[in-house]
């Protein structure tokens, strides 16, 4: 029989243990670089909205992957998909909240395969091997993973001088084994936007699935277009677009992990799971409903106007940095969105990294900066100042 004293001692021990563990975790966390430090200039993630912290807690134990017990969470997901469907010109959207761009891109190619195989079955055609996808050479590396994972041949179409896919190159790569073409709206390295209208024409003429990877651009392009920036459209208003990926955990201001995939019509891919009493259409079996709750909170709290305000500030800050760099005599590439590339001497780039700036380089050797909502004018000023100083030192 346990006495009250025993119980008290146990509670005390547990409290001490909890404190120790939390202190350990805080110490690990201190090693991470925070967004608020201003040092992170090339991440596509950012500090989530404050309300998300509360929203995620409400759903901390809900599994979005189990329809039997997550009716409320699934309703939230549907509302988010509808909201984004409206944003992307789609009347009747289908789709899911995912863990991010990689998962959404996987689901898109799985869907392309499912549709192609069904069409071939219906027409009595033999299964083709190996299936192929065409992606721009600027596409995210998730497509290389997809190629390996799904045993699909990946063909890379060349890009023009503005880092947008060359339509002739795409045309030349198409053959009877092509199951999907991918266009990118907001490339990871340059923020360039492919000619989705041109790709859609090609895909419709060849009856090929068209997926648009707007993991980054999805929460930027619709808003900068509303701000009258002259950038290409990429959404479902373009006939022939079959699916779009976009990430709430990038410019959507939500917690990690959260992506989204939207389909223009009901997806064909699913597996039957008798013990879950129905179809399972997701990639992941278990998925945090907390991500959906965070997404709902962001969309509702910010609304279109809130997103426009955030994106406007990022674009203005990008311009501020671009002007500052030009003022230092540095060659920049004109930015399409809040990603800025410039040419900087290797020694100076390396010194910037040494002094703690988190910046990156593209495959073509340009410095790459992503101006996210956590990057403020003061950080930009400090960064420009550091470059100025390093250039001065290099001269002496
Ligand atoms: C265009 C694009 N697609 C896909 C991804 C992959 O997204 P995630 O890292 O969320 O899987 C990224 C990430 O940077 C991206 O920029």
């Amino acid at each position: 029989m346990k006495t009250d004293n025993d119980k008290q001692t146990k509670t005390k021990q547990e409290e001490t243990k909890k404190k120790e563990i939390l202190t350990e975790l805080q110490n690990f966390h201190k090693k991470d670089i925070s967004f608020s430090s201003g040092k992170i200039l090339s991440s596509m993630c950012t500090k989530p909205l404050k309300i998300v912290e509360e929203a995620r807690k409400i759903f901390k134990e809900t599994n979005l992957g189990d329809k039997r017990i997550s009716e409320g969470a699934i309703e939230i997901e549907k509302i988010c998909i509808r909201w984004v469907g409206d944003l992307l010109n789609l009347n009747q959207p289908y789709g899911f909240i995912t863990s991010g761009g990689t998962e959404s891109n996987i689901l898109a190619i799985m869907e392309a395969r499912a549709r192609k195989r069904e069409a071939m079955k219906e027409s009595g055609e033999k299964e083709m091997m190996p299936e192929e996808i065409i992606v721009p050479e600027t596409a995210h590396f998730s497509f290389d993973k997809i190629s390996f994972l799904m045993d699909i041949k990946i063909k890379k179409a060349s890009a023009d001088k503005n880092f947008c896919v060359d339509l002739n190159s795409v045309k030349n790569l198409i053959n009877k084994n092509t199951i999907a073409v991918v266009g990118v709206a907001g490339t990871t390295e340059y923020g360039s936007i492919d000619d989705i209208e041109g790709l859609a024409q090609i895909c419709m003429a060849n009856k090929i699935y068209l997926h648009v990877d707007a993991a980054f651009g999805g929460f930027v392009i619709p808003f900068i277009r509303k701000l009258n920036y002259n950038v290409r459209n990429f959404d479902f208003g373009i006939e022939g677009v079959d699916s779009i990926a976009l990430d709430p955990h990038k410019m959507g201001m939500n917690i990690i992990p959260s992506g989204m995939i939207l389909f223009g019509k009901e997806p064909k891919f699913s597996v039957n799971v008798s013990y879950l009493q129905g179809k399972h259409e997701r990639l992941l079996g278990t998925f945090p409903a907390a991500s959906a709750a965070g997404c709902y909170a962001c969309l509702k709290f910010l609304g279109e106007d809130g997103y426009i305000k955030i994106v406007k500030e990022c674009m203005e800050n990008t311009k501020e940095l671009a002007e500052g760099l030009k003022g230092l005599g540095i060659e920049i590439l004109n930015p399409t969105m809040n990603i800025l590339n410039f040419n900087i001497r290797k020694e100076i780039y390396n010194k910037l990294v040494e002094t703690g700036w988190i910046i990156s380089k593209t495959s073509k050797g340009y410095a790459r900066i992503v101006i996210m909502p956590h990057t403020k004018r003061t950080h930009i000023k400090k960064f420009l100042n550091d470059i100025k100083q390093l250039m001065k030192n290099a001269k002496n």
Side-chain angles (χ1 to χ4, degrees), residues 171-329:
K171 271 187 211 160
N172 291 336
L173 292 174
I174 289 177
N175 66 28
K176 65 176 183 19
N177 292 339
T178 312
I179 62 161
V181 167
V182 174
V184 188
T187 57
T188 315
E189 291 191 326
Y190 304 99
S192 47
I193 306 170
D194 288 332
D195 178 356
I196 304 300
E197 277 181 5
L199 288 176
Q201 292 296 326
I202 297 171
C203 286
M204 282 193 297
N206 291 281
K207 294 197 172 67
I208 295 172
Y209 186 100
L210 174 60
H211 172 60
V212 180
D213 180 1
F216 186 75
F219 278 96
V220 179
I221 301 165
F223 307 121
I224 58 174
R225 279 171 62 83
K226 290 200 163 121
L227 287 165
N228 292 324
Y229 281 79
N230 185 17
V231 296
R232 279 173 169 155
N233 187 20
F234 69 97
D235 68 22
F236 288 102
I238 300 170
E239 195 189 348
V241 170
D242 289 298
S243 53
I244 299 181
L246 71 169
D247 280 359
H249 71 198
K250 294 189 169 71
M251 286 294 288
M253 307 300 292
N254 195 17
I255 37 160
I256 302 167
S258 69
M260 269 187 176
I261 174 91
L262 269 77
F263 300 99
K265 55 183 184 195
E266 193 172 2
K268 296 222 178 278
F269 174 79
S270 72
V271 288
N272 269 318
V273 189
S274 50
Y275 76 89
L276 292 177
Q277 286 146 31
K279 286 202 283 183
H280 208 281
E281 303 97 340
R282 296 171 188 280
L283 181 62
L284 306 182
T286 305
F287 188 72
S291 295
C295 192
Y296 181 91
C298 290
L299 300 179
K300 273 232 146 167
F301 188 81
L302 290 172
E304 204 168 279
D305 288 348
Y307 279 113
I308 288 176
K309 199 163 163 247
I310 288 173
V311 167
K312 184 168 182 273
E313 193 180 321
C314 289
M315 292 303 286
E316 283 168 4
N317 286 345
T318 306
K319 191 166 170 230
E320 174 90 2
L321 177 59
E323 294 300 325
L325 290 168
K326 275 198 262 179
L328 294 174

Side-chain angles (χ1 to χ4, degrees), residues 1-163:
M1 197 56 187
K2 275 193 180 157
T3 63
D4 277 356
N5 253 354
D6 287 343
K7 276 188 198 159
Q8 267 179 9
T9 314
K10 190 166 177 255
T11 315
K12 260 194 182 161
Q13 279 170 347
E14 278 181 358
E15 279 308 311
T16 314
K17 199 170 175 186
K18 260 196 234 165
K19 268 191 195 145
E20 272 171 22
I21 294 171
L22 292 176
T23 308
E24 278 168 26
L25 287 172
Q26 288 294 353
N27 287 337
F28 282 119
H29 189 47
K30 277 184 197 149
K31 294 185 183 177
D32 300 338
I33 302 167
S34 70
F35 288 119
S36 42
S37 71
K39 287 284 184 185
I40 304 177
L41 291 183
S42 69
S43 167
M44 290 187 149
C45 293
T46 194
K47 202 175 163 63
L49 281 190
K50 264 212 164 88
I51 186 176
V52 171
E53 279 307 310
E54 298 300 314
R56 78 199 293 191
K57 277 190 210 154
I58 303 172
F59 285 84
K60 63 180 179 299
E61 56 185 50
T62 313
N63 171 15
L64 199 55
D66 190 343
K67 289 179 197 166
R68 300 166 310 157
I69 55 171
S70 55
E71 192 185 326
I74 284 171
E75 214 173 305
I76 288 176
E77 180 181 45
K78 282 204 179 113
I79 294 170
C80 294
I81 296 292
R82 257 204 316 273
W83 195 99
V84 175
D86 277 349
L87 182 74
L88 301 182
N89 250 314
L90 184 59
N91 283 336
Q92 206 190 341
Y94 297 89
F96 314 104
I97 291 182
T98 66
S99 60
T102 302
E103 187 188 340
S104 299
N105 288 338
I106 296 173
L107 277 164
I109 303 304
M110 281 167 66
E111 180 58 20
R113 169 179 272 175
R115 286 191 199 177
K116 182 75 181 181
R117 287 187 181 177
E118 191 175 289
M120 291 179 79
K121 210 167 153 191
E122 277 167 8
S123 65
E125 277 175 81
K126 261 200 0 227
E127 208 169 279
M128 61 211 188
M129 284 305 264
E131 293 157 322
E132 298 181 3
I133 55 171
I134 300 169
V135 309
E137 62 170 309
T138 52
H140 185 259
F141 61 82
S142 48
F143 292 100
D144 295 304
K145 294 184 184 173
I146 289 170
S147 161
F148 186 78
L149 183 73
M150 293 177 66
D151 201 13
I152 281 179
K153 188 168 173 185
I154 186 166
K155 286 181 164 174
K156 300 207 174 172
S158 50
D160 63 20
K161 63 179 190 341
N162 296 317
F163 306 103

